[in-house]
Amino acid sequence: MSVSLWVWAATIAGLAIIVAIDIWHARRPHHVGFKEATTWSVIYIALAILFGIGVMIFGGTEPGTEFFAGWLIEKSLSVDNLFVFAVILGTFGVPDKHQQKVLLIGILGALVMRAIFIAVGAAAIQRFAVTFVVFGAFLIYTAIKLVRSHGEQPDVGNSRAVKMLRRFIPVTDDYPDSSALTVKRDGKRLATPLLVVVVTILSVDLVFALDSIPAVFGVTESAYIVFTANAFALLGLRALYFLLIGLLDRLVHLHFGLAFVLAFIGVKLILHYAHTVWPSVPDIPTALSLAVVILTLAVTTFTSLRATRKASREVTADHG
């Protein structure tokens, strides 16, 4: 899919407006309730769907399908990332009213980092076709690691990024009322715990980007589609966190589904490279990839909710 410079400029400008609205909305510290989270989640999902339809109308069915497949992959990976965000916010005891600002800064930082990774990845793919094999092998490794490491609690409080921050600037013990990342006391500039949390989330975002970018390149080679799929998935992540926070513990099989999706995309990338060398090797179409992602997410969500409901009934029966 060939994208002109003015389309890139218009897209970035549109996303900048959305980000500005999000920043304006999060300017005042407050608790995000279910109704607010639902409203913003619906808005972001609607925007992504409208954008995908626009890609189909002006770019063609194939690019539109690639966008929806990439967006769903990023959205599903983002849900898994929310588990880690919940651990970070819980570990540092971030008050409810400050959580959305921390998440917003982390998401914007993730968007910038992923834009850099996308540019590098697109250049590598154009220059070295074997990059598909590297990405594919990495995704398969990530899938295996995801299953093996599930349930392990990350030691976020002692991460290298946090230790480095504390080495350069003292940190206060209390959270500010104004969501400030730094405060001035007795003539000295001090970091608040919010800055420590933001640095922690940004460091985690860097690791997440290493997983997600190769996954999206598995369904499209268009840097434009990869970037917009990431952007629309990330921009709705803050609202999605507050919407699903009570549901996260019930998605007990999600990691199996995500591992399968990553492994499937990894195999798809390797087969794609093999197809360019040996045309007789089958090349998995994007439409099939989209169907696999949707079916996998639907099945793992259903089995997760069924398993937790069964466990809940057993606990109730034991107590009864």
Side-chain angles (χ1 to χ4, degrees), residues 22 24 39 50 67-68 90 154-155 168-169 172 180 220 225 244 256 262 288 317:
D22 219 2
W24 178 82
T39 300
L50 288 174
F67 170 80
F68 281 116
D155 189 9
F168 287 102
I169 182 171
T172 64
T220 180
I225 297 297
L244 297 182
F256 290 119
L262 290 175
L288 177 59

Side-chain angles (χ1 to χ4, degrees), residues 38-308:
T38 301
T39 300
W40 283 97
S41 294
V42 169
I43 289 174
Y44 278 116
I45 291 173
L47 288 174
I49 293 175
L50 288 174
F51 182 84
I53 294 174
V55 173
M56 279 189 170
I57 294 174
F58 297 103
T61 302
E62 183 68 16
T65 304
E66 291 175 353
F67 170 80
F68 281 116
W71 176 64
L72 275 177
I73 290 172
E74 284 302 314
K75 207 69 176 175
S76 59
L77 290 173
S78 296
V79 172
D80 191 53
N81 297 349
L82 293 181
F83 284 99
V84 180
F85 289 165
V87 170
I88 293 174
L89 296 177
T91 299
F92 288 100
V94 181
D96 287 349
K97 64 180 182 179
H98 296 320
Q99 289 183 3
Q100 70 164 340
K101 180 175 180 179
V102 170
L103 291 172
L104 179 59
I105 295 174
I107 290 167
L108 295 180
L111 188 57
V112 172
M113 283 188 283
R114 294 190 187 196
I116 296 173
F117 277 115
I118 290 168
V120 174
I125 286 176
Q126 288 183 353
R127 191 166 184 179
F128 307 105
V130 74
T131 303
F132 285 113
V133 178
V134 176
F135 280 0
F138 180 75
L139 289 177
I140 294 173
Y141 164 77
T142 303
I144 296 173
K145 184 179 177 182
L146 179 61
V147 173
R148 287 182 174 179
S149 63
H150 180 72
E152 297 180 2
Q153 295 291 343
D155 189 9
V156 295
N158 292 315
S159 68
R160 186 174 301 177
V162 171
K163 290 181 178 178
M164 187 175 297
L165 174 66
R166 293 183 184 274
R167 185 181 303 173
F168 287 102
I169 182 171
V171 181
T172 64
D173 296 326
D174 55 321
Y175 284 94
D177 294 330
S178 61
S179 293
L181 301 181
T182 63
V183 294
K184 197 170 184 179
R185 294 180 180 175
D186 299 326
K188 294 182 179 180
R189 179 63 61 178
L190 306 176
T192 69
L194 284 179
L195 181 58
V196 178
V197 178
V198 168
V199 170
T200 304
I201 287 182
L202 288 176
S203 64
V204 170
D205 282 336
L206 181 62
V207 178
F208 289 159
L210 293 175
D211 297 339
S212 63
I213 299 305
V216 185
F217 271 115
V219 295
T220 180
E221 296 180 39
S222 169
Y224 180 80
I225 297 297
V226 174
F227 174 73
T228 52
N230 268 272
F232 279 102
L234 284 173
L235 290 177
L237 189 56
R238 177 179 59 83
L240 188 64
Y241 173 84
F242 294 105
L243 181 63
L244 297 182
I245 187 62
L247 185 64
L248 290 178
D249 291 339
R250 299 179 63 187
L251 299 177
V252 293
H253 297 160
L254 179 63
H255 63 290
F256 290 119
L258 294 178
F260 177 77
V261 169
L262 290 175
F264 173 79
I265 298 300
V267 171
K268 180 181 186 299
L269 282 168
I270 295 174
L271 288 177
H272 179 72
Y273 172 75
H275 178 76
T276 62
V277 180
W278 304 286
S280 60
V281 176
D283 194 14
I284 300 176
T286 304
L288 177 59
S289 300
L290 178 59
V292 168
V293 172
I294 294 175
L295 181 62
T296 302
L297 293 178
V299 169
T300 52
T301 300
F302 173 76
T303 59
S304 294
L305 297 178
R306 183 179 181 183
T308 52

